[in-house]
Structure formats: structure tokens, C-alpha cells
Amino acid sequence: NEIELTKTEKKEESAQVEEESLTLFECFVKLKENKLEEAEKLFKQIQLKATPSEVIENDFVFLFYKYINGKATELEFKEIINKDISPSLKGIGYKYLWLSYNSTNQFAKAVNCLKQALETITDESEKCKIINNISQTYLESKEFEESKAIIINNLNNISEDSNKAELYYQLSKVYEE
């Protein structure tokens, strides 16, 4: 009888640990296996334990996973981005929408998405990252002149030396191509 009790306790402990260690990647795996309902169930469990800011970021990550698996649309991203959320969370939304477009070789949409993000974000360091991502997206689509132009046209808008250095480094990568 004592052995049975120990087994039951271990099973409960194991289930509790399993539940605590759920990750968004597990949702991705379920989506890859074409198990949408299971992925959404896991996602809801994850969201119950998330902080308010994590909830929105998790929404974007899960939408990204769904999008690249053909289970979500850009409208779902835009619905969240257009909500009354902070500019930094909007930036995260644009980043995952850009990744969605980029992952599915929709480069023109990816660039337009990042340009919208550039208008939304106020933090210079984040703007610099977005400019680099636009340049990189142009490179991936073999649009070398556009890749160069986005950096050159934005250099004067960047004041921090470290941010300028990042842009010059990206520019050097453009010239390497």
C-alpha cells in the first residue's frame, strides 16, 4: 500500500513539473505535427502563468509559429498591434510579423512591416535594429541598392556612436555582397 502511495505521489510530482515547464516551443512542435487543438490548449496553459506583458509577447510568438505553419494570418497580428499597447510591445509585434513574412519569403511585405515599425518605435537602439533588419531583408531579396539606401538615408537620424557603428557594419555587409 505504501508503494502505491509513493507511485501516485511521483506521478503527481511529475505532472506538476511537466505543467510548470511548458514552453512555447512545445506549441510549435504540436503545430508542426498538425495538432492545432493541442497546441492551443498548451498555449492557454502557458498564458495562465504569464505576466501581463508576457501575455502579449507570447501572443506574438504563438502567432508567428501558427503563421509559418499556415494556421494564422497577418490580420491576427495587426489586431494585436493596433490595440492600445505600449510602443515597445507594438515593436515586438512588428518584429514577429516581419519574421513571419521573411520566413515565408514575402520580402516586400517584410520591408513594409519594418517601415511601419520604424514609424512607431522611439528608442534609437531599436530603430537601429529595425534599419538593419530592413537592410538585411533587402539583401535577402537581392535588392542591393535599397539595402544600402535605407542605411545611408537614416545615418543622420542616429546620434549614438554604438548605434551608428552597427549601421556602418551592416553597410559593410551590403558592400561585401
Side-chain angles (χ1 to χ4, degrees):
N1 197 10
E2 187 178 317
I3 295 172
E4 280 300 310
L5 182 61
T6 306
K7 283 183 183 176
T8 305
E9 285 175 357
K10 284 184 179 178
K11 283 182 186 175
E12 286 173 7
E13 280 179 24
S14 173
Q16 185 178 1
V17 169
E18 228 175 79
E19 190 175 304
E20 286 175 8
S21 63
L22 289 175
T23 65
L24 287 169
F25 184 74
E26 291 174 59
C27 296
F28 174 72
V29 170
K30 293 295 180 192
L31 288 167
K32 288 293 279 183
E33 295 170 349
N34 210 20
K35 296 177 181 177
L36 181 60
E37 280 185 37
E38 288 181 42
E40 288 179 340
K41 183 180 174 186
L42 284 173
F43 182 67
K44 286 177 184 173
Q45 290 174 346
I46 291 167
Q47 291 295 70
L48 289 174
K49 295 178 180 158
T51 65
S53 64
E54 287 174 336
V55 165
I56 294 172
E57 189 168 351
N58 288 349
D59 281 337
F60 289 129
V61 173
F62 189 57
L63 276 175
F64 166 69
Y65 288 157
K66 287 173 65 177
Y67 190 93
I68 63 174
N69 284 288
K71 311 257 186 263
T73 67
E74 62 194 74
L75 293 176
E76 293 173 79
F77 277 100
K78 291 179 179 178
E79 283 177 9
I80 299 172
I81 290 169
N82 291 330
K83 285 183 179 179
D84 187 25
I85 57 176
S86 71
S88 67
L89 286 174
K90 285 182 187 289
I92 291 168
Y94 282 120
K95 176 179 112 179
Y96 281 103
L97 182 55
W98 163 70
L99 285 170
S100 298
Y101 289 144
N102 221 36
S103 296
T104 54
N105 298 322
Q106 299 177 70
F107 298 120
K109 284 184 172 187
V111 167
N112 287 334
C113 173
L114 288 174
K115 286 181 176 179
Q116 286 179 312
L118 201 52
E119 294 171 12
T120 304
I121 301 299
T122 55
D123 180 74
E124 185 177 281
S125 179
E126 288 301 312
K127 280 185 180 262
C128 183
K129 289 176 187 172
I130 292 168
I131 294 164
N132 278 335
N133 288 337
I134 293 171
S135 173
Q136 189 60 41
T137 302
Y138 277 134
L139 276 180
E140 288 175 28
S141 62
K142 307 293 186 220
E143 297 178 63
F144 303 110
E145 289 304 312
E146 289 85 352
S147 181
K148 185 171 44 172
I150 192 71
I151 295 172
I152 292 170
N153 293 339
N154 282 284
L155 272 170
N156 289 336
N157 303 329
I158 304 296
S159 59
E160 290 285 321
D161 288 342
S162 61
N163 292 332
K164 279 191 179 201
E166 283 184 45
L167 291 179
Y168 280 118
Y169 178 72
Q170 178 64 26
L171 191 58
S172 74
K173 287 168 50 177
V174 173
Y175 280 105
E176 284 177 7
E177 293 288 322

